[in-house]
Amino acid sequence: MSSQKKVNSWTRKRTSQGSSSYQTRLSAWRIQEDLNDSKSLSKRGQNNTVEDYEGTDDQAEDALQIALRYFEKGPIKTSQSKEKHLKTVENVAWKNGLTAEGIDILLSVALSGKFGSAVNTRIFKCMIPATLISEDSVVKAVSWLCAGKCSGSTKVLFYRWLIAMFDFIDHKEQINLLYGFFFASLQDDTLCPYVCHLLYLLTKKENVKPFRVRKLLDLQAKMGMQPHLQALLSLYKFFVPTLISVSLPMRKKMYFKNSENPWKTALLALRPRNQEFPSEPLKLMLANVHPIKRKWNSHSIIPVLNSCNYSKESRKKRMNLSDYFSSNGSFPLEQLKSFPQLLQNIHCLELPSQMGAVLNSSLLLHYINCVRDESVLLRLYHWLSQTLQEECTWYKVNNYDHGKEFANFLDTILRAECFLQEGFYSCEAFLYKSLPLWDGLCCRSQFLQLVSWIPFSSFSEVKPLLFDHLSRLFFTSSIFFKCSVLQCLKELLQNWLLWLSMDIHVKSVRNSPLETTLGGSMNSVSELIRYVGWLSTTAVRLESNRTFLLHFILDFYEKVCDIYINYSLPLVVLFPPGVFYPALLSLDSSILNQLCYIMDRYHKNLTAAKKNEFVHKTKSEFSFSSKTYQEFNQYLTAMVGCLWTSRPFQKGIYIDSEVLGNDSVAEYKKSLNLVHHPAFLSYTVSFLLQECPEERKVNMSSIRGKKWNWYLDYLFSEGLHGLKHFIRSSIHRSSVLAESINHQH
Amino acid sequence: MDSYDASKLTPRQDASSRFKDFFIGATPLQKRLESVRKQTSFIPTPPRRKIPQGSQLQEDVDPQKFAFLLHKQWTLYSLTPLYKFSYTNFKEYSKLLNAFIAAEKQKGLAVEVGDDFNIKVIFSTLMGVKGTQRDPEAFLVQILSKSQLPSEHKEEKVLWTGWFCCIFGDSLLETVSEDFTCLPLFLANGTETNTAIIGTWFQKTFDCYFRPLAINAFNLSWMAAMWTACKMDHYMATTEFLWSVPCSPHSLDISYAIHPEDAKALWDSVHKTPGEVTQEEVDLFMDCLYSHFHRHFKIHLSATRLVRVSTSVASAHTDGKIKILCPKYLIGVLAYLTELAVFQIE
């Protein structure tokens, strides 16, 4: 369907340029009208020349589709168009390579004998894959061979093509099943050398059978010492030395003629363009590219997943080289595709030869998550910490071209950490080394996320290595950086809390890497919280109470205030006054609302703690000091005093009334209550206007008594749920009457 | 800015017991992290080191045996511990590495596994190249070209040489389990293509990681001081320093050669603690050279970058190239390089 559309859109373009002899149907016009509409939409605003220029690529693509369809349908008398289509296919193939589907079509065309052998030859020569060749296409092609529709020379060409493209075929299991068919083709004298080469590439240990050996020896007797037969025989002998007693000449020879010649240049040209095909040869990037050689092998930082044949074998006393190529008993990683498979084979799973490869495989991450083998983790540790340092763009000079690659690498690591819900020690070690050199810009989001995955440890120990450097950056950077740091510290706190709360529950079963006491752990967490409190206090001052910043700070404390209830950890740490008062005096209602919510949660947590203590009666080492309660009560009094009773700051912070008087703030007492608080001012006004919309002048003091309650309901209906909870829990509404009397002062 | 004082804020726990709470039963991984922490938080290099003392090779080892390691330029790499490496499997390793090299070089052509390729790979131990008994044995990998003609069979040309060693690598040895072999220093001589192929094979086979080991100016001055301090029977080369001035379009190099005896005399004048070199002495030694140069040429060398140091003991380049000249101090030079390699892999 889609190709139909494309065909039509192409024809239309051609006709619109007035250079086409193609007929167009009316219905086709309609279809591609839509197509072109959407296209022109995206291109709107560009002038025509640009559009024409961009059109050429699309046209080539469309032309290719037409050509492919033409070949699929079979020859039509007009030979002129055949030539044109061939040219089209050739051009695209040599420039970009063909898709797997394109090759599938062409392969069938070439072997079906629809066209003459000259055309088939040209088709074969331009069958260059852009990425991969589907195994099914090859199997289909073999079935065409059996149909006997193509000439001998085409068959030869097919085998040569197959040999040249062998590494581009996505799977080879099905093809290996056709081993017997290929083997039978050895009979054909002209095909024999090429079939030998193909078999050489295809042979596995289990393919070596006595009857095949006999057949090969017969052939050798008939045709003499042919290098290609010798090659295959020597491979057989290598796999099963006992089956072949004839001595083969040991002298090195080039066994096969170079079958891939017609495609060699095209493949070389394609290589750098298509990075992702799997069997790309080892790339050796050497010193002439970079001052210090960056990479030895491969195009990606993370090694390819390979079973570790060697270490297992080396434990055996006598080692047979051929054993490396056959699997025995254990489950090869390459076949691991699903979770049930992992569960079934977890006892006999081969580990990758390079542990770094697990980063790309979620199944193996499951595995290393439960493996107890310390050496597995050590291998990963070494590989990861070295790779991080080697790839880090700011860690050493002359390494700036690979920022994108490094960021991708960090993303992969972060995905793995998130998947495991656990940080890697190597990342922590890397942070120690790289954070002091970090500019705060490069890979910022990734780098901060790494910080948030630091495994739980003693804060005071980590502080000089990490957080002191981080605070230096924090204070000297923009507000956005400050907010992202606070965000990442919130995530760090959350990760630590989750880890600790798990830890408490499974302590008896677990073989902990960190043998900590609960008291020590709680200390470390409270130090982290106090550190953030210190950062926040200073940041609020530096950024002069910016709402944006306060949001991030209060987000952090939303986590902090609920530790006792949410994570069942015996810890309540309050925010410092430097956070509380700016939030209380904020001009933004959402900040105030958030503050109310947090105060309410603190209240609930402290009450729960107190209750628990009361139930257990014994005074455990984790009972909170009376200082925490005092502090909280002080905050609570201040809040109720400001918002509700209009008696602000009677305890704690004392404000000299003379100062206020000088600033001509006469009625300061009321000015911070729910009605007059600057954050709520807009609510007050719209509440009053709701009652009497025509009023030009509103009387704020009129909100008292019953109206005060209506006003409260109005505020709650406006979504200030934090305030609602706060008032419900901290102010006894039974005393509403008494309170409202107070307002009349 | 408010000063942040953690000690004031530890409410209910006895502060002194805090450190005991952590890392009681430490795993190797934990120990590694600990050592990284220590290394990062304190001064990276110890402020004093021993002056290399004579030959520290084991007594039953003939120093002449290692003559081929001298007078060659080696490119330095640091190497993480090798996993499941075994000294008893050298034969198999040779075969496999041979096949790997053949496969890499002959990509696309049919290859016979085994010794059907005109190169030969030899693994052998360098008995005695170690600092303490705990250090694992050093070993050598050589790639030889097999001559096609049988008559010339005796003369095999060495195409590439690389060796792995660990001299006084105690700090690293403590942090790994027995599945690993710690040979943190790797030295290669030969084409970089070969180094890349062989390094790749090691990385794939033993799950280790090679990183080029550069030597910064700070460590080069240490080398200059330590090597000048070595007692020599006769001097083979002048003491020479090379500084690089970063200016465009081409950087400017300043070479500064001193008669080795003058250098020794200068060293003796700044040297106080017998048998040891301290950071102050290194600084003083270099400052003397700087001020001498400034007096004559009015150039502040301290503002440029030291890139190479050559003495009669050895010469080292900041790119991570080294040439060892004096057999007597082979172990001493390697000990310092091991220290740098261990530092890099932590």
Side-chain angles (χ1 to χ4, degrees), chain B residues 63-267:
Chain B
Q64 285 310 310
K65 225 175 96 184
F66 302 117
F68 71 98
L69 298 178
L70 307 174
H71 298 283
K72 262 197 196 106
Q73 179 166 286
W74 299 101
T75 309
L76 302 171
Y77 294 84
S78 68
L79 178 67
T80 60
L82 301 162
Y83 178 66
K84 297 271 186 210
F85 174 82
S86 162
Y87 287 94
T88 55
N89 285 346
F90 277 177
K91 266 216 174 105
E92 288 79 10
Y93 295 157
S94 308
K95 262 190 207 160
L96 289 171
L97 180 54
N98 193 336
F100 186 79
I101 296 169
E104 284 308 318
K105 295 212 160 170
Q106 295 262 306
K107 205 136 221 181
L109 295 178
V111 165
E112 177 82 347
V113 185
D115 44 10
D116 194 33
F117 192 63
N118 60 355
I119 59 154
K120 197 164 142 191
V121 179
I122 302 173
F123 277 67
S124 57
T125 44
L126 292 168
M127 290 295 272
V129 180
K130 49 157 79 176
T132 64
Q133 280 307 321
R134 278 190 70 194
D135 286 334
E137 292 292 345
F139 74 93
L140 179 81
V141 179
Q142 276 178 309
I143 312 294
L144 308 173
S145 73
K146 265 193 288 189
S147 60
Q148 301 288 342
L149 303 168
S151 60
E152 285 175 297
H153 221 279
K154 277 159 207 157
E155 277 183 54
E156 288 171 323
K157 204 180 142 216
V158 178
L159 292 178
W160 183 92
T161 314
W163 46 298
F164 301 73
C165 69
C166 176
I167 314 290
F168 300 110
D170 292 344
S171 67
L172 181 65
L173 293 169
E174 277 162 14
T175 60
V176 297
S177 54
E178 67 242 14
D179 282 337
F180 295 91
T181 308
C182 294
L183 293 160
L185 183 63
F186 171 67
L187 305 96
N189 173 274
T191 64
E192 213 151 349
T193 331
N194 279 327
T195 310
I197 294 175
I198 291 149
T200 305
W201 182 80
F202 270 92
Q203 290 192 162
K204 286 190 166 177
T205 314
F206 304 110
D207 204 358
C208 52
Y209 198 100
F210 288 83
R211 275 177 73 200
L213 180 63
I215 310 170
N216 60 25
F218 177 81
N219 290 322
L220 279 176
S221 4
W222 263 93
M223 287 176 176
M226 283 199 296
W227 296 344
T228 307
C230 289
K231 281 198 186 71
M232 297 290 284
D233 302 330
H234 62 282
Y235 291 101
M236 287 177 284
T238 54
T239 302
E240 195 190 344
F241 298 85
L242 193 72
W243 279 274
S244 163
V245 186
C247 60
S248 64
H250 303 292
S251 64
L252 181 71
D253 286 343
I254 300 172
S255 162
Y256 185 168
I258 317 163
H259 193 280
E261 275 162 14
D262 294 343
K264 181 77 164 83
L266 173 63
W267 171 255

